[in-house]
């Protein structure tokens, strides 16, 4: 694809809800294609309307099954649903499992559901670099809600909160999740706690531990997270969870949703700015000397990273 006319045509088709155009646009953004910025620039005025729901938890918590059940609920309301499923990447090959399409076969042929698996590509925050851009493109294409399922990697899941209007942390009885949940990162991002597979005998203890933890948590002005039980495989508790999500964003969490959207705007601005500045530095200041030469100097202990960075920055000309 080349030229502004081609970009406008693609975005125009995307805004009409054409799935093939949406898939193509997300691929270009995820690959960092030259057209990516122009696509996002054209689509951005039509974003900000969709409800973004983040679901996170340890591997094996049943996130994908729960997402599948929530999708079915929203589809029964004739809503177009987007799913961004972030899978782990191999540290060696860069490849990803990308298994969520397999786990959500029921919706694979439904034109009202768009499922996109994305690789973290080594990003420890659970969300790939392009996931927020994919959410924007789904939003612009008319998908609402957008469910974001992320890799369970512990405290770094704070990035989910930056991308979502409401965050559900999924726990499973008998897997040590009571200890995991107490970790500050998970506690801070949860708007809702979901005890999935709650037909297990340890569910009562986990629910009691969560309630005790929430009672002891310091007041920070946020509404206290509710605790919900589900058995996703049998669709038990899913209607109540769907209602809790709706109630949160229209009630107790309404003000928090607006603050979170502002925080998200700031985080994305700084991320894009950092990426662009780094690209400019590499292009203008490092090109002549070569990054490999600088790395060799640092590895050989002939210069420290701080001095090397300062030396490069002295040659940077921002245009």
């Amino acid at each position: 694809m080349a030229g502004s006319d081609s970009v406008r045509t693609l975005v125009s088709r995307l805004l009409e809800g054409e799935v093939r155009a949406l898939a193509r646009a997300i691929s270009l953004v995820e690959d960092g294609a030259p057209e990516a910025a122009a696509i996002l620039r054209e689509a951005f005025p039509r974003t900000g309307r969709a409800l973004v729901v983040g679901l996170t938890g340890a591997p094996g918590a049943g996130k994908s099954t729960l997402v599948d059940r929530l999708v079915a609920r929203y589809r029964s309301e004739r809503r177009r649903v987007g799913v961004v499923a972030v899978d782990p990447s191999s540290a060696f090959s860069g490849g990803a499992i990308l298994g969520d399409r397999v786990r959500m076969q029921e919706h694979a042929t439904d034109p009202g559901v768009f499922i996109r698996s994305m690789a973290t590509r080594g990003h420890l925050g659970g969300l790939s670099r392009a996931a927020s851009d994919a959410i924007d493109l789904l939003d612009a294409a008319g998908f609402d809600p957008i469910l974001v399922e992320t890799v369970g990697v512990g405290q770094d899941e704070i990035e989910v909160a930056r991308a979502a209007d409401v965050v559900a942390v999924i726990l499973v009885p008998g897997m040590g999740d009571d200890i995991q949940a107490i970790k500050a990162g998970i506690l801070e991002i949860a708007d809702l706690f979901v005890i999935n597979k709650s037909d297990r005998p340890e569910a009562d203890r986990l629910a009691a531990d969560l309630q005790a933890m929430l009672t002891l948590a310091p007041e920070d002005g946020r509404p206290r997270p509710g605790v919900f039980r589900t058995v996703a495989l049998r669709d038990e508790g899913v209607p109540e969870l769907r209602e809790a999500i709706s109630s949160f964003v229209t009630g107790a969490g309404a003000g928090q949703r607006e603050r979170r959207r502002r925080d998200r705007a700031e985080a994305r601005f700084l991320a894009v700015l950092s990426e662009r500045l780094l690209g400019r530095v590499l292009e203008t200041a490092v090109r002549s000397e070569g990054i490999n030469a600088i790395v060799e100097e640092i590895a050989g202990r002939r210069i420290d990273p701080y001095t090397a960075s300062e030396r490069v920055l002295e040659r940077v000309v921002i245009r």
Side-chain angles (χ1 to χ4, degrees):
M1 173 178 288
S4 58
D5 289 342
S6 298
V7 168
R8 290 194 188 96
T9 299
L10 179 68
V11 174
S12 176
R13 290 163 47 206
L14 180 154
L15 295 178
E16 293 172 359
E18 186 179 314
V19 171
R20 290 182 63 183
L22 172 60
R24 176 63 173 155
I26 293 177
S27 293
L28 290 168
V29 167
E30 189 175 18
D31 293 341
E35 305 90 348
I39 291 170
L40 293 165
R41 193 177 295 119
E42 291 282 333
F44 192 77
R46 295 282 294 273
T47 64
R49 298 172 297 180
L51 168 65
V52 183
V53 181
L55 298 102
T56 185
K63 297 186 297 295
S64 294
T65 304
L66 192 56
V67 167
D68 180 75
R69 295 295 87 210
L70 283 171
V71 168
R73 288 283 159 185
Y74 285 118
R75 286 299 291 145
S76 70
E77 301 166 14
R78 300 186 179 276
R79 297 173 68 171
R80 301 179 76 208
V81 186
V83 179
V84 177
V86 185
D87 279 296
S89 298
S90 165
F92 297 99
S93 68
I97 298 171
L98 305 180
D100 293 275
R101 291 194 184 112
V102 176
R103 292 191 289 266
M104 299 182 195
Q105 283 300 309
E106 179 184 340
H107 308 293
T109 58
D110 185 346
V113 179
F114 186 95
I115 301 170
R116 182 69 176 220
S117 292
M118 305 184 77
T120 58
R121 299 185 177 181
H123 197 296
L124 295 180
L127 286 176
S128 67
R129 177 189 56 79
S132 291
D133 294 334
I135 291 169
D136 270 355
L137 294 174
L138 281 161
D139 188 355
F143 288 86
D144 178 20
I146 300 167
L147 309 182
V148 184
E149 178 197 339
T150 71
V151 182
V153 292
Q155 295 188 35
D156 288 318
E157 290 291 63
I158 195 71
E159 288 203 5
V160 182
R162 293 194 183 127
D165 298 315
V166 55
V167 178
V169 173
I170 318 301
L171 307 172
V172 180
M175 291 182 63
D177 285 313
D178 49 343
I179 303 301
Q180 287 295 105
I182 295 173
K183 289 185 176 181
I186 293 295
L187 176 60
E188 288 170 1
I189 69 170
D191 299 311
L192 307 168
F193 282 109
V194 181
I195 301 174
N196 194 31
K197 306 180 185 180
S198 62
D199 51 344
R200 293 183 176 181
E202 303 94 338
D204 288 341
R205 178 183 173 184
L206 177 54
D209 288 345
L210 276 173
Q211 294 290 1
M213 178 190 69
L214 293 172
T215 301
L216 296 172
E219 292 290 339
D220 59 2
R222 296 190 308 146
R224 182 164 292 176
V227 179
F228 299 86
R229 299 190 186 201
T230 60
V231 182
L233 280 174
R234 299 202 296 262
D235 204 34
E236 293 178 8
V238 177
E240 291 79 6
L241 176 60
R242 184 257 175 274
E243 286 304 313
I245 291 170
S246 178
S247 297
F248 179 85
V249 296
T250 58
Q256 182 174 321
R257 183 186 186 188
E258 292 308 312
R259 288 194 299 273
R260 192 172 281 173
R261 288 193 168 195
R262 187 200 174 280
D263 292 343
R264 181 161 73 229
E266 179 180 1
R268 291 190 67 193
F269 164 66
L270 292 176
V272 172
L273 182 62
S274 298
E275 186 176 320
R276 292 296 180 88
L277 284 174
L278 178 59
R280 188 70 58 84
V281 168
L282 293 175
E283 179 183 352
T284 62
V286 177
R287 182 175 54 186
S288 58
E289 187 172 351
I291 191 169
N292 289 333
I294 298 172
V295 169
E296 287 297 329
E297 284 194 80
I298 296 171
R301 296 299 190 271
R302 295 186 294 277
I303 190 173
D304 63 88
Y306 302 96
T307 302
S309 299
E310 289 170 4
R311 189 174 73 188
V312 168
L313 289 173
E314 287 172 357
R315 298 199 298 269
V316 173
V317 179
I318 302 296
R319 297 184 177 87

